[in-house]
Amino acid sequence: MRKLNVVFGVVAATGAAGWLMTLFLAMYWMPRPAKGPVTGQVPVATFAPPTPQSAPPDIRDAVMLGYNIMKHTDKYAPKYVGNKLSCTNCHFDGGLSMRSISLVGVAASYPKFRTRTNYATDLVSRTNECFERSMNGHALPVDSHEMQALMTYFAWISKDIPIYSKMPWLGQKKIKSGHTPDAVAGETVYLGRCAACHGGDGQGTGQGPAVWGAQSYNDGAGMAKVDNLASFVRGNMPWLTANLSDEQSLDVAAYVEAQPRPHFQKKR
Ligand code: HEC
Ligand code: HEC
């Protein structure tokens, strides 16, 4: 209303020449389209992965091989594995679980910026990081059946998720605690809450995989960082009954990471 009054005032005061001015003023006040791309809200994706078995016939073999590599890595990709772990030991249910480092939607969230390389990284390279570090093994050739199968599997379980949408279930929830991890207190937690399945010597039992030593992830793995292991334990361990506090999780993580494990070296 005030703008209109100003326009009328200007017209009355300046007569005919005022009409020209009015035109300019009107143009000045007109809403204009924003310049450049409109940065709207990033859509939040829905978690509803299809089963591997329901993949269309032409890609089903690849999807199933990818799923099987996730579940039994040493059986389906033996050349590339250097320990007794399988991907599913950390990415539960072959990455289909919403918890424990889900991989649902990864095909729609890569290439992605990684601080490790300080650059964008594609999903093949990221997957090979887990082969070389978490699995203490070798990188897969991009054109190998195994890598192509994993990429097909990741694409299938990312079906219908918009590329670069927000996937709140991806990544690990960081522990927000100022507590300084205490490996001595962590040993008590380990013996009471972990050893029954992972062994007093950390080498694993029939009930759980190795958490240190020759058959475990190497010191270059994401899981080899106290923060990451503590987040994983906080959310997922003890298996099926995870209920440790932030402090206990940090302590037990410090204890586990203080034990010997293979040293990361790039293998060709
Ligand atoms: C010892 C545990 C462990 C094992 C075994 C493991 N990973 Fe991982 N993986 C991780 C951790 C930790 C991350 C990083 C999670 C994060 O970003 O918070 C990760 C991340 C990933 C990512 C990227 C996920 C994302 O959201 O960016 C992919 C893909 C992946 N792993 C694939 C594999 C494959 C394939 C295997 C088996 C060959 C495997 N991993 C085995 C621990 C493991
Ligand atoms: C009841 C048995 C059980 C208990 C107790 C248990 N775990 Fe586990 N843990 C498992 C199983 C089983 C897996 C693999 C899950 C899968 O493959 O789906 C696992 C996976 C892991 C992994 C990732 C794979 C690896 O070996 O690196 C870590 C790390 C781990 N547990 C640490 C712990 C810690 C620390 C505790 C004690 C706070 C603990 N677990 C207690 C059974 C157990």
Side-chain angles (χ1 to χ4, degrees):
M1 245 359 250
R2 271 180 51 209
K3 285 183 183 179
L4 261 180
N5 286 341
V6 173
V7 172
F8 279 122
V10 171
V11 173
T14 57
W19 284 111
L20 252 182
M21 260 186 83
T22 313
L23 200 70
F24 284 125
L25 284 170
M27 279 167 72
Y28 178 77
W29 268 311
M30 280 251 278
R32 273 157 292 185
K35 286 205 183 94
V38 180
T39 48
Q41 293 270 308
V42 180
V44 179
T46 311
F47 187 93
T51 62
Q53 294 78 6
S54 63
D58 57 345
I59 58 164
R60 193 176 303 144
D61 279 358
V63 169
M64 288 311 298
L65 176 58
Y67 181 59
N68 285 325
I69 292 172
M70 294 294 304
K71 300 277 277 189
H72 312 281
T73 318
D74 58 343
K75 182 166 172 211
Y76 290 93
K79 277 193 286 180
Y80 307 106
V81 184
N83 60 26
K84 290 215 182 100
L85 297 183
S86 279
C87 314
T88 198
N89 292 155
C90 299
H91 305 281
F92 290 179
D93 196 11
L96 283 169
S97 151
M98 195 181 211
R99 313 171 57 188
S100 74
I101 328 182
S102 179
L103 297 177
V104 171
V106 273
S109 64
Y110 278 78
K112 173 162 133 182
F113 178 84
R114 301 264 300 143
T115 42
R116 188 172 271 162
T117 51
N118 196 31
Y119 204 62
T121 299
D122 67 14
L123 193 51
V124 169
S125 311
R126 180 65 189 85
T127 299
N128 270 336
E129 281 182 28
C130 267
F131 270 99
E132 295 182 295
R133 295 159 188 265
S134 304
M135 307 297 295
N136 193 33
H138 297 253
L140 278 62
V142 179
D143 55 1
S144 61
H145 264 189
E146 291 88 346
M147 182 55 88
Q148 292 299 316
L150 282 166
M151 291 304 114
T152 314
Y153 171 69
F154 292 151
W156 178 247
I157 65 169
S158 306
K159 188 177 174 294
D160 296 334
I161 295 184
I163 182 122
Y164 293 138
S165 53
K166 213 178 265 171
M167 294 161 237
W169 59 84
L170 284 189
Q172 294 217 89
K173 269 204 201 82
K174 298 261 169 277
I175 290 182
K176 294 189 199 93
S177 159
H179 177 72
T180 306
D182 175 354
V184 175
E187 180 172 13
T188 311
V189 178
Y190 185 84
L191 294 175
R193 306 300 306 277
C194 319
C197 297
H198 292 288
D201 57 1
Q203 308 305 293
T205 70
Q207 312 305 313
V211 288
W212 70 77
Q215 301 308 333
S216 184
Y217 51 88
N218 67 39
D219 61 7
M223 203 62 107
K225 295 193 185 110
V226 170
D227 283 4
N228 282 340
L229 175 57
S231 297
F232 178 83
V233 168
R234 177 82 185 81
N236 305 295
M237 292 292 141
W239 172 244
L240 301 179
T241 58
N243 61 355
L244 298 189
S245 66
D246 290 355
E247 290 70 27
Q248 287 174 311
S249 303
L250 285 162
D251 291 348
V252 77
Y255 173 71
V256 169
E257 307 295 29
Q259 310 308 314
R261 62 182 61 258
H263 179 54
F264 169 66
Q265 334 161 244
K266 197 129 180 110
K267 302 185 194 80
R268 294 271 165 209

